[in-house]
Amino acid sequence: MSRKPAHTDSEYTFKLFRLDPEKAQEPCYDTYRIGFPQGTTVLEALLHIQEKEDDSIAFRFSCRSAVCGSCGMLVNGAPVLACRTQLSSLIGDQVLVEPLPNMEVIKDFIVDTTPFWKSYRMVEPWLHTDGQPVPEKERLQSPREVHKLEPYINCVLCACCFGACPVIGFDEEYIGPAAIAKLFRFMRDSRDRRGTAFLERVNRRAGVWNCRTIFRCIDACPKDIRPTDTIEALRREMVLYRFKKFFRLVR
């Protein structure tokens, strides 16, 4: 009696965005029909196409383990990490791969992340010590304090939420969900001493107030972080801070 192989190849049609600004001003799409076994990721498929079909295809990748955040791209219209997106998880056999939106394309799926990092640096994503001397031992936290940070510390800076945000599409000055979520992460850290007054940095239209609460950043995050929730939390803290500041002035 014959047995079927444990893993048979499934064929997929890949439609890949192609643009080299040094050679052409308008993008085009290349199409490939290839079979892959169960468990193949989009990144593995792209590496195969690059090796066997066209070595000029350009994309970023590094760890292949959803840790470095390098391989963020659009797959069938959704911002994802290519290394953790299996072909079998997609609907149908059509795989459309495009670069993340809201950033200029350098080549194919490689985008210029300068706006993303500019916003990230603006919130000063490191612990502020308020001039306190460096302790002889590490600054300890209780398990309860660590637990408060856990929903926000897993960001891999892949820029998927930045690419998914519709507000950035029409307002390039908006700092975006990743930067605001990172600010919230540090302001929630019991070791940070920057104080609530630091919120003035994002108390503007291009800061926390321009979010339209469409939740696409939540849908896009591969680490299940909820940037919209952090934006709403900082808005509430800012309103409370402004009220307290006002009442101190009128006393």
Side-chain angles (χ1 to χ4, degrees):
M1 183 176 65
S2 62
R3 291 185 176 181
K4 291 183 179 181
H7 298 286
T8 57
D9 285 3
S10 298
E11 286 199 343
Y12 296 88
T13 298
F14 291 82
K15 188 175 182 181
L16 307 184
F17 176 97
R18 303 301 306 276
L19 176 62
D20 187 347
E22 294 184 357
K23 297 180 180 179
Q25 295 301 314
E26 297 296 329
C28 64
Y29 289 83
D30 288 344
T31 303
Y32 306 90
R33 183 73 178 176
I34 305 175
F36 289 101
Q38 181 79 11
T40 301
T41 65
V42 172
L43 178 60
E44 289 171 333
L46 289 175
L47 289 168
H48 174 87
I49 295 172
Q50 186 188 60
E51 180 181 357
K52 301 295 185 180
E53 305 290 341
D54 186 347
D55 62 4
S56 70
I57 297 174
F59 51 91
R60 292 188 178 108
F61 74 97
S62 184
C63 72
R64 310 191 195 191
S65 304
V67 175
C68 72
S70 299
C71 62
M73 57 188 71
L74 284 187
V75 176
N76 289 356
V80 299
L81 292 180
C83 69
R84 67 172 294 173
T85 304
Q86 295 198 6
L87 296 175
S88 59
S89 70
L90 305 177
I91 299 176
D93 62 352
Q94 306 292 312
V95 186
L96 173 63
V97 187
E98 299 170 297
L100 288 176
N102 297 331
M103 290 168 280
E104 185 178 350
V105 176
I106 297 175
K107 184 181 179 184
D108 298 340
F109 312 128
I110 298 177
V111 296
D112 183 0
T113 56
T114 299
F116 174 80
W117 293 113
K118 179 181 178 182
S119 297
Y120 183 72
R121 288 191 295 268
M122 190 273 288
V123 301
E124 298 184 7
W126 55 81
L127 287 176
H128 286 217
T129 61
D130 194 25
Q132 294 179 351
V134 178
E136 295 182 2
K137 298 182 179 180
E138 63 180 302
R139 293 182 171 91
L140 299 177
Q141 286 185 300
S142 68
R144 184 177 181 180
E145 291 168 336
V146 174
H147 181 70
K148 289 181 179 180
L149 293 178
E150 285 179 349
Y152 314 105
I153 61 177
N154 293 324
C155 174
V156 294
L157 302 174
C158 62
C160 283
C161 65
F162 193 88
C165 180
V167 176
I168 298 172
F170 63 80
D171 185 359
E172 295 180 354
E173 296 299 316
Y174 180 49
I175 66 174
I180 297 175
K182 186 63 68 172
L183 172 60
F184 182 82
R185 171 257 181 273
F186 279 99
M187 294 199 69
R188 199 176 180 86
D189 196 311
S190 61
R191 300 164 297 179
D192 192 86
R193 295 293 180 267
R194 72 185 69 203
T196 311
F198 194 87
L199 284 174
E200 294 287 3
R201 187 162 298 201
V202 292
N203 182 32
R204 53 195 177 95
R205 177 189 55 78
V208 295
W209 301 110
N210 215 5
C211 174
R212 300 296 193 265
T213 58
I214 301 175
F215 302 108
R216 288 185 184 173
C217 56
I218 293 177
D219 294 336
C221 182
K223 295 297 183 178
D224 298 324
I225 297 171
R226 299 178 59 86
T228 308
D229 293 353
T230 68
I231 294 170
E232 290 298 313
L234 290 180
R235 282 174 171 175
R236 291 191 295 269
E237 288 189 28
M238 173 52 68
V239 171
L240 183 60
Y241 166 73
R242 299 292 285 184
F243 267 116
K244 289 180 177 178
K245 185 177 181 180
F246 172 77
F247 284 119
R248 283 198 300 267
L249 291 174
V250 297
R251 281 176 125 179

